[in-house]
């Protein structure tokens, strides 16, 4: 007669590997869901912030024909002077070259984030034109210096930026 204790050998190695594989799949799925939720939250925060900035600029320049004189210093007037964007960078604004439009720049993006934001339809029905930007620099007088490109490319700080152009008559 065998000893009953010897017959109960517990879990086999194959069963343990199977359990670990299932746990790994569940963990990978959870990470994918968390990553998607974080990305969605960043985009939602960006939409809210850019919408508030655009509304604030339009309110400041209500009744004027151009955005002449608009510099990044206006962010302080609309409550966004020290607000970081959800990607860890900054917001920049200024009148576009023809003064009838203005630009909002969001920096500190990876090239992938820049390309994704460049391709998306901005709230208000394709508001303005987006371009890749790098080497954004805030000058002492509140103006910004940047180089806009058709593609997103890393700047000197290994990050890219997105430039969004807003026309006077389009609503955000």
């Amino acid at each position: 007669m065998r000893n009953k204790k010897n017959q109960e050998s517990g879990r086999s190695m194959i069963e343990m590997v199977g359990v670990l594989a299932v746990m790994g799949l569940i963990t990978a799925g959870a990470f994918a869901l968390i990553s998607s939720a974080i990305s969605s939250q960043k985009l939602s925060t960006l939409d809210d912030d850019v919408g508030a900035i655009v509304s604030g600029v339009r309110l400041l320049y209500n009744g004027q024909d151009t955005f002449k004189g608009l510099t990044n210093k206006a962010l302080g007037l609309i409550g966004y002077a020290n607000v970081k964007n959800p990607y860890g960078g900054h917001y920049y604004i200024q009148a576009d070259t023809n003064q009838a439009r203005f630009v909002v720049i969001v920096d500190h993006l990876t090239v992938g984030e820049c390309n994704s934001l460049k391709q998306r339809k901005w709230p208000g029905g394709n508001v303005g034109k987006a371009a890749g930007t790098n080497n954004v620099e805030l000058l002492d007088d509140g103006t910004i210096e940047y180089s806009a490109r058709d593609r997103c490319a890393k700047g000197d700080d290994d990050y890219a930026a997105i430039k969004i152009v807003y026309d006077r008559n389009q609503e955000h």
Side-chain angles (χ1 to χ4, degrees):
M1 196 179 215
R2 286 186 177 180
N3 185 349
K4 193 171 188 174
K5 191 175 186 180
N6 289 340
Q7 290 177 348
E8 297 176 16
S9 60
R11 304 249 183 251
S12 71
M13 182 63 90
I14 294 173
E15 289 173 324
M16 290 304 289
V17 168
V19 168
L20 289 174
V22 169
M23 289 173 57
L25 288 173
I26 291 171
T27 302
F31 278 126
L33 287 173
I34 289 169
S35 176
S36 176
I38 289 171
S39 178
S40 180
Q41 178 61 37
K42 283 181 178 181
L43 191 55
S44 179
T45 301
L46 181 67
D47 281 343
D48 291 346
D49 287 352
V50 170
I53 290 168
V54 169
S55 294
V57 168
R58 288 192 173 136
L59 188 62
L60 282 174
Y61 282 80
N62 189 22
Q64 296 183 32
D65 292 335
T66 69
F67 294 100
K68 186 177 181 179
L70 177 65
T71 67
N72 211 60
K73 290 181 179 180
L75 284 176
L77 299 173
I78 57 178
Y80 275 83
N82 296 313
V83 175
K84 286 203 168 207
N85 70 49
Y87 299 95
H90 297 93
Y91 294 107
Y92 301 94
I93 58 171
Q94 78 178 26
D96 200 21
T97 52
N98 71 3
Q99 307 290 319
R101 303 180 304 181
F102 66 97
V103 297
V104 176
I105 294 179
V106 180
D107 75 347
H108 207 76
L109 305 169
T110 64
V111 170
E113 291 165 338
C114 180
N115 281 318
S116 176
L117 292 173
K118 183 181 167 189
Q119 298 301 321
R120 78 185 292 261
K121 193 170 191 167
W122 288 88
N126 203 12
V127 178
K129 297 175 182 157
T133 304
N134 60 13
N135 300 328
V136 181
E137 185 179 351
L138 180 60
L139 304 178
D140 290 338
D141 64 356
T143 59
I144 52 176
E145 194 172 275
Y146 59 91
S147 57
R149 302 167 180 228
D150 290 335
R151 61 182 178 82
C152 294
K154 289 181 181 179
D156 292 338
D157 60 358
D158 285 335
Y159 288 101
I162 190 78
K163 175 186 92 163
I164 314 156
V165 180
Y166 287 92
D167 294 325
R168 169 162 292 290
N169 298 327
Q170 291 177 316
E171 292 299 318
H172 185 80

